[in-house]
Amino acid sequence: MRNNYAHKEYGMLTAMYDTSAPKKPTNVSINRDLLQQAKEHQINLSRALETRLAELLREHKQQQWRQENHEAVEAYNRRIETHGCFSDGLRRF
């Protein structure tokens, strides 16, 4: 049982940031046509930006975790390839 992704989607289980923190006004520059289309489709820009920023943050943290734990995951996978998993004789699949 190789471990290609040694942790669960941790970001899906807990917030990656303080969701109760107060909002902070900020200025952003957006392509005029993109902004117009978003308005036509009643897209909440603040919510869309927060959602996408959280996704990017989660992706970044997952990549960072993979880099930090790469050696341990590879060592685990080598051990399983060499010695098998403790439950190999018990599984029926």
Side-chain angles (χ1 to χ4, degrees), residues 25-91:
T26 188
N27 293 324
V28 295
S29 296
I30 301 174
N31 174 286
R32 183 178 294 173
D33 184 51
L34 183 61
L35 179 60
Q36 181 60 39
Q37 289 188 45
K39 286 181 178 183
E40 289 172 4
H41 289 90
Q42 292 85 37
I43 294 173
N44 180 315
L45 294 179
S46 295
R47 186 177 329 125
L49 178 59
E50 281 186 1
T51 299
R52 184 59 182 138
L53 284 175
E55 290 170 356
L56 290 169
L57 180 60
R58 182 173 36 255
E59 291 167 8
H60 176 77
K61 288 185 177 196
Q62 288 173 347
Q63 181 62 29
Q64 183 179 12
W65 186 96
R66 286 185 199 110
Q67 289 172 349
E68 291 171 357
N69 293 284
H70 175 74
E71 290 181 26
V73 171
E74 286 302 312
Y76 172 82
N77 287 335
R78 283 192 302 274
R79 186 174 65 87
I80 295 302
E81 287 176 8
T82 302
H83 302 290
C85 185
F86 76 93
S87 65
D88 284 345
L90 303 174
R91 295 185 301 188

